Amino acid sequence: MISCENLVKIYKTGEIEVVALQGLDLTVEDGELMAIIGNSGSGKSTLLNMLGGLDTPSAGKLFVDGKNLLAFNSRQMMEYRRTTVGFVWQNPARNLIPYLTAQQNVELPLSISGADPAKMPPLPGPDGNPIPCRNVRERAGALLSLVGLSHRKKSRLTELSGGEQQRVAIAIALANNPRLLLADEPTGAVDSKTTKELLQLFQQLNRQLGITIVIVTHDRLVSSFVSRAVMIRDGRTSSEFVRRKLSLDNLGRIGGEEETEEPEVEERTVVDRTGRVQLPREYLDALGVTGRETMLTHLEEGRIVLTPIPKEEESPQKDAAEEQ
């Protein structure tokens, strides 16, 4: 679904250049539920904007659903944003119009697009059976039912909780049947209980619709709700958190009443095409590596071993120079 190769993004303000991405590589499979994790300024939101067609790379290659985004003109990019990708923002107000009801908010993108709901793939109902949608109103109602808000169709923004607003926003993002759903910090404005409920909703949508979902966040808790989480540091993919035992029934049930056992998640360091690797900060701290230092590298029984070089004792000449 997504293939990024050596992506570079440089923002220029006058004579100042800020490098947001520094040769990032990333592959996301069709139908995958994954997360991109990183601290503020790591480049994760920049990457999401490029995947959504809201920004363009300064260099590199970017393909989504077989489409070369760097070759698009403005009209093709607009069509891509309308039909291929759906967005969910941290602030639901970016998705919702406050004076419309939840039903009307979901109907709006369907009406603007001119799409025929009868020709769209059917949506699963609460019992798992497909819901027939012959028009915009029925399609919007089915989407709200899918996200668990069939009882709030007539409610306006001020009458909904933060979690309910975000569910409406997800329904809007799914309105035009996108192939890729992008979520930018979708749980950043809700409490921990609502966070788990929303992440479990993403699991459900991924399973029922087969849609590819990419969640961008700074919260590592999300890694327990997805099959793979990619860590970005300094504009490059540095490591991946991958489940060794993946069970959709138990996925994301951490710290709650349904908890059965701790998920088996292993962190894998990413080596890019040029051989660069970013080691976890906690490993470097344990070895006392604080800056740009050289290390001994050798192969040992099929493993690459890095060994810090012991600091040499200060020579008598250096001691004398310091005294002077």
Side-chain angles (χ1 to χ4, degrees):
M1 175 58 68
I2 297 172
S3 176
C4 307
E5 182 178 332
N6 199 29
L7 280 187
V8 176
K9 181 60 181 181
I10 302 175
Y11 293 100
K12 294 183 179 181
T13 304
E15 297 182 354
I16 300 175
E17 291 187 351
V18 177
V19 182
L21 296 179
Q22 305 182 52
L24 181 142
D25 294 322
L26 177 68
T27 300
V28 179
E29 298 298 328
D30 187 14
E32 187 174 4
L33 170 62
M34 61 90 66
I36 298 174
I37 303 174
N39 297 325
S40 297
S42 61
K44 61 185 187 301
S45 292
T46 297
L47 173 61
L48 196 76
N49 286 337
M50 291 194 293
L51 294 177
L54 303 177
D55 204 350
T56 55
S58 302
K61 297 179 181 179
L62 176 57
F63 288 83
V64 178
D65 195 24
K67 305 176 180 71
N68 182 2
L69 268 61
L70 273 70
F72 278 0
N73 57 34
S74 58
R75 180 176 292 276
Q76 290 171 320
M77 188 63 78
M78 179 182 67
E79 186 66 17
Y80 166 80
R81 290 194 294 262
R82 289 177 55 190
T83 60
T84 302
V85 65
F87 256 104
V88 180
W89 306 97
Q90 177 178 351
N91 182 1
R94 293 189 67 173
N95 290 81
L96 305 179
I97 298 176
Y99 54 82
L100 298 181
T101 65
Q103 173 85 18
Q104 292 168 336
N105 266 284
V106 181
E107 288 178 5
L108 188 60
L110 287 166
S111 301
I112 292 175
S113 69
D116 184 359
K119 296 181 180 180
M120 291 184 176
L123 295 169
D127 56 359
N129 295 321
I131 300 176
C133 300
R134 295 162 295 182
N135 51 52
V136 167
R137 179 173 294 276
E138 289 182 353
R139 182 80 180 183
L143 285 165
L144 287 172
S145 176
L146 184 65
V147 300
L149 282 184
S150 58
H151 62 295
R152 302 290 266 162
K153 294 180 181 180
K154 298 182 180 180
S155 300
R156 287 183 169 80
L157 182 62
T158 55
E159 300 170 326
L160 300 173
S161 67
E164 289 173 334
Q165 291 178 22
Q166 199 61 288
R167 287 174 182 267
V168 178
I170 294 171
I172 293 171
L174 295 172
N176 287 332
N177 192 39
R179 296 262 297 137
L180 172 65
L181 182 63
L182 303 175
D184 189 5
E185 299 280 5
T187 61
V190 296
D191 59 29
S192 57
K193 180 178 181 295
T194 306
T195 292
K196 291 183 179 181
E197 292 174 351
L198 288 173
L199 292 174
Q200 287 170 347
L201 174 59
F202 282 121
Q203 293 174 5
Q204 170 196 325
L205 296 174
N206 172 253
R207 184 168 61 250
Q208 291 182 322
L209 303 180
I211 187 174
T212 306
I213 301 177
V214 177
I215 302 173
V216 166
T217 181
H218 67 278
D219 187 359
R220 289 200 182 192
L221 173 66
V222 175
S223 63
S224 66
F225 290 80
V226 297
S227 58
R228 182 169 65 108
V230 174
M231 173 73 74
I232 293 182
R233 295 187 183 98
D234 301 324
R236 291 197 295 264
T237 50
S238 62
S239 58
E240 294 187 2
F241 298 86
V242 181
R243 287 178 173 272
R244 284 180 288 180
K245 292 183 179 179
L246 178 61
S247 171
L248 288 175
D249 292 333
N250 294 325
L251 201 61
R253 295 174 177 176
I254 308 303
E257 296 179 357
E258 298 174 322
E259 179 179 355
T260 55
E261 60 181 11
E262 287 295 318
E264 294 191 26
V265 179
E266 61 182 11
E267 181 174 0
R268 302 176 181 176
T269 298
V270 175
V271 182
D272 69 14
R273 297 174 187 276
T274 63
R276 294 176 300 187
V277 60
Q278 294 188 36
L279 301 179
R281 183 72 256 174
E282 53 268 27
Y283 293 1
L284 298 178
D285 291 341
L287 295 174
V289 178
T290 58
R292 187 179 179 87
E293 302 178 26
T294 57
M295 305 181 77
L296 295 173
T297 306
H298 67 277
L299 288 174
E300 180 181 298
E301 298 179 355
R303 296 176 297 175
I304 300 175
V305 180
L306 301 177
T307 307
I309 299 176
K311 294 183 179 179
E312 298 179 357
E313 295 183 2
E314 294 180 326
S315 64
Q317 294 85 351
K318 185 176 181 181
D319 293 339
E322 289 179 348
E323 290 178 1
Q324 293 178 358

